[in-house]
Amino acid sequence: RDQPRSRGLGDVYKRQTVVERVCRAFYCIVYECNANQRRAMDADAPKLLVEALRAHRAHADVCMQASKCVVALCFGEQPAKTKCAKAGVIEALNDAMIEHSSQADVATQVCGALCCLSADNWFMQRRAASSVPIVVDALRAHGVQNRKLAKAACAALRNLAHTHRKLMRTAKAWTPVVAVIRAHQRTDNDDEDDDVHAHTLTAECAALANMMYREKEVAVVAGAEGAVDLMAEMLRKRPAAVVNADLVHVSCVALRNLTAECMENRARFDAVDGLGLIVQTLRCHLHCVKVVDTAVGLISHITVGNADKQAEARASGVLELLDKLDEVHANDKNLKGDINAARRSILGKTSCILM
């Protein structure tokens, strides 16, 4: 009763329990409601959230709930992301995760907020560059025990790596690559194979793929750490389930990036019957455009300029499989172009550089 009358987060930031409860209510009101998102932005909600995070950085529950509020504000709203960045939300989130580095729950919520902020937004990805080492540290510390943390951290790294290839290289990008590979190995050793598990693996493979895109140095290190074997195992263990189409796709993307400029990784892929795995994948996902697109590109990678692999592909019936894909995707001109490129590579009619 001795407290002044509250009018919002800006007035009650001195009381941790009140701020936490206000954040919980705010999340429920704003999440997936465009009208309330706009009302919150008009009321300068990002600035108030930053004030709450800074005032209660030592209070884990406030940090978690405020992070969820960031997601509620920015989910699907690009202008809101920009306003949050200008208000200092990214820096406040980074500080919260550093403050609670021993708490996986806080790191999970902060990584989720960073993932939401950086999704499909180049400006936010650039602004969030400072978050990369903090997210990697959280992944290293908690990836073994906490699958939710592994998924959130890898999803954030996936978004940030897409823009920060050069920046991550100068910042020793192999460190997050190794961290993600280790998390991937731990998760893949779990006995449970449900939808949540598949989504976690998908986030990890996507992070690996983005980190290695046109980054030969990172691909070399990742291959030496066992990334080729990991991606091959993804294709071998989960060939046909519909729920795993995304996982199969990103695994193929990772393999494509691993083998694009690294002959050692091509040899590693060949050693685990890589071509056979790709053929199996195509037969299981004949109608999935994104899987077919990436898989035929990978066939082009491993057969171009390699007479032995070209002969193996012809003997394995790959040309006949490509003919079948032509029939299934007859109306997709872009995909037919990729299929024709794979066919020419097998027939030794092209020496093009494939990305």
Side-chain angles (χ1 to χ4, degrees), residues 224-236:
E225 291 287 340
V228 175
D229 292 337
L230 282 171
M231 297 303 102
E233 192 65 17
M234 292 298 101
L235 301 184
R236 184 177 292 109

Side-chain angles (χ1 to χ4, degrees), residues 224-263:
E225 291 287 340
V228 175
D229 292 337
L230 282 171
M231 297 303 102
E233 192 65 17
M234 292 298 101
L235 301 184
R236 184 177 292 109
K237 290 176 63 176
R238 300 168 178 81
V242 174
V243 70
N244 291 322
D246 287 337
L247 175 55
V248 170
H249 165 63
V250 295
S251 297
C252 288
V253 173
L255 284 167
R256 182 191 63 190
N257 294 345
L258 274 163
T259 59
E261 301 180 58
C262 182
M263 299 307 296

Side-chain angles (χ1 to χ4, degrees), residues 25-45:
F26 180 87
Y27 174 83
C28 295
I29 293 169
V30 174
Y31 186 63
E32 292 189 334
C33 178
N34 293 337
N36 286 344
Q37 282 178 323
R38 289 191 291 271
R39 293 186 182 102
M41 296 306 296
D42 291 340
D44 214 8

Side-chain angles (χ1 to χ4, degrees), residues 69-80:
C69 289
V70 172
V71 175
L73 272 178
C74 299
F75 188 77
E77 293 290 326
Q78 300 299 338

Side-chain angles (χ1 to χ4, degrees), residues 2 27 39 68 108 127 162 187 200 212 239 273 323 349:
D2 295 329
Y27 174 83
R39 293 186 182 102
K68 292 179 66 174
T108 300
R127 289 291 295 262
H162 185 72
T187 307
T200 302
M212 291 180 292
D273 188 26
D323 291 339
K349 295 182 177 180

